[in-house]
Amino acid sequence: MCRSKEAREHFIFVPCAPPRRVARGVRHRAFLEACLQPSALAPVRAAAPAAAAAGAAPSARSLGAAVAGGAVWAAGAATLAGSLPGAAAAASMVKVAMMVPPPMATQPASRSGEENAQDTAVARREGGFMDTLFPGFSADTFIWRISVLQLVEYAGSVLLGNSYGVPKLCSLYLLGASWGPAIAGGAVWRLFLPMMLHANPLHIFFNIFFQLRIGCNMEKQFGRRKFCLLYLFCGFMGNLLSVVADPMKLAVGASTSGFGLLGVWAAEVMLTWELLGESQGRVFLWFAFMLGSCVMMSAISPSVDFMGHFGGALAGFLLAIMLADMQEEHRPEWYGKAKTSAKNATALIIGLSLLKAITLGPDGPIPHCGSMLHPLQLPF
């Protein structure tokens, strides 16, 4: 998520106060086989979340620092993933553990290794380049469609007003970028629309690559409706906590939702920790590295919206626990309590954050950027 704290010094503000408020499946065996297939892109799969998470939030003002930090983070993640060969198998077991298995009558019969290899080869030929780049890719998925919409939205922001292909701040504001005083004035759509907007070409490239890389198989796991709810809720909560932490910034980007997918992974690992066996240490190290990288990136580049990323990851973590549907024999003793706690925590966070952002939020200033039909032509 990109934030621009320099917005106040660039915008032209109107002196008046803003108006107030007016009124999931994939069959069990097939999915497990797909998850455990060896892939030459395994290092890239581990590096893509890190690269996207680091590169998902460059601002128009400090793009060089954010991109450089993203490259360092991606290299570290790829090195760590190469030294943890059991991490991929552990992650796939975690995902399957939370799925509701089909009835026994529909379970496929055991097959020979040669038959499985033939099916795999056919699937790869049918999927082509996109399935190799984004495992589980299908054009009939929510994650693909919203990625296309984000590309269209970016093109629209450039056409509305740009400087060397980078949307101007007023273009982003008119299209729904997050801005605390406007949200306090009732523009609650600015808690959703920022996930459709991006600050520059690298920003949108990293975000879309990451969400397609991890989201295609995750959508098959949860189903379209649940995955859609996860994606949108993570973006909403990330934007909300970002505004609560600092309302006087202009923020855009889908990385709030992208970090939410990482939060879903964290919830899966927690709920299935006893099923991981010898992979526990490897998985723990991976998450510790990711957490440390997030903190480091936020310290290196102040333009990274740390609170927006944290809010998205927290939303994915809590909502994944609430949506989890584990088999009864695999549930930990505290499974029910975890679900109840997640519901209570989510309600409390959302309620207090909305109170702070809307009722107690700042009334101004509001940038004067004209309208969609007649945008103000500013040099930035």
Side-chain angles (χ1 to χ4, degrees):
M1 189 173 187
C2 174
R3 56 187 286 180
S4 180
K5 295 193 69 172
E6 67 273 16
R8 291 199 61 172
E9 65 188 66
H10 287 323
F11 279 149
I12 298 175
F13 295 103
V14 223
C16 59
R20 305 306 297 176
R21 179 181 53 177
V22 286
R24 178 249 261 193
V26 176
R27 299 170 73 178
H28 183 273
R29 181 180 179 87
F31 180 73
L32 180 58
E33 289 173 353
C35 288
L36 296 181
Q37 286 171 6
S39 172
L41 294 176
V44 179
R45 183 177 303 178
S59 74
R61 191 175 186 179
S62 56
L63 175 62
V67 172
V72 174
W73 193 4
T79 303
L80 180 63
S83 65
L84 302 177
S92 64
M93 179 173 66
V94 168
K95 293 180 181 179
V96 174
M98 291 186 66
M99 296 173 60
V100 178
M104 295 302 296
T106 65
Q107 294 282 4
S110 59
R111 311 177 68 187
S112 67
E114 183 179 353
E115 290 175 329
N116 288 333
Q118 291 175 353
D119 289 346
T120 300
V122 170
R124 288 180 176 175
R125 287 196 300 269
E126 292 178 350
F129 172 77
M130 292 296 288
D131 190 67
T132 302
L133 195 60
F134 308 119
F137 173 81
S138 171
D140 187 28
T141 55
F142 166 80
I143 191 63
W144 169 248
R145 292 173 178 174
I146 198 169
S147 297
V148 172
L149 285 176
Q150 287 165 349
L151 288 170
V152 173
E153 189 87 0
Y154 182 79
S157 65
V158 171
L159 292 175
L160 192 61
N162 72 90
S163 177
Y164 302 102
V166 175
K168 294 185 177 181
L169 295 179
C170 268
S171 298
L172 297 175
Y173 179 81
L174 290 175
L175 289 173
S178 173
W179 179 250
I183 294 173
V188 293
W189 56 86
R190 294 185 181 271
L191 297 174
F192 293 92
L193 293 184
M195 70 182 79
M196 303 298 298
L197 301 170
H198 294 84
N200 50 64
L202 283 178
H203 190 202
I204 190 172
F205 169 78
F206 279 122
N207 279 342
I208 288 184
F209 183 88
F210 167 57
Q211 68 185 25
L212 287 175
R213 183 73 182 174
I214 188 178
C216 292
N217 272 335
M218 190 173 286
E219 182 171 345
K220 288 184 177 181
Q221 174 191 347
F222 284 96
R224 179 177 299 175
R225 292 184 180 181
K226 287 185 178 181
F227 182 82
C228 177
L229 176 61
L230 277 167
Y231 188 94
L232 298 179
F233 181 75
C234 292
F236 161 76
M237 187 165 165
N239 291 324
L240 178 59
L241 293 187
S242 174
V243 170
V244 169
D246 185 4
M248 307 305 295
K249 68 176 182 290
L250 194 75
V252 295
S255 51
T256 50
S257 297
F259 269 77
L261 304 184
L262 295 178
V264 172
W265 271 0
E268 291 178 324
V269 170
M270 186 191 75
L271 290 173
T272 59
W273 183 252
E274 299 300 328
L275 303 177
L276 294 178
E278 297 179 355
S279 299
Q280 290 179 349
R282 301 186 184 97
V283 174
F284 176 80
L285 285 177
W286 187 85
F287 275 103
F289 174 80
M290 292 296 295
L291 178 61
S293 300
C294 289
V295 175
M296 180 187 69
M297 277 305 302
S298 297
I300 291 178
S301 179
S303 64
V304 173
D305 190 0
F306 174 79
M307 202 61 190
H309 293 170
F310 172 78
L314 179 62
F317 180 81
L318 294 174
L319 191 56
I321 294 177
M322 289 188 283
L323 296 178
D325 194 6
M326 297 178 66
Q327 301 178 44
E328 189 171 354
E329 62 270 20
H330 292 157
R331 297 177 182 177
E333 296 179 358
W334 41 266
Y335 182 77
K337 293 182 179 180
K339 279 182 166 289
T340 302
S341 299
K343 293 176 183 178
N344 294 337
T346 302
L348 182 63
I349 293 173
I350 296 297
L352 293 179
S353 298
L354 287 174
L355 177 66
K356 173 66 167 61
I358 298 179
T359 306
L360 305 177
D363 288 334
I366 296 295
H368 178 56
C369 290
S371 64
M372 292 285 294
L373 296 179
H374 303 286
L376 191 61
Q377 297 298 322
L378 298 179
F380 40 78

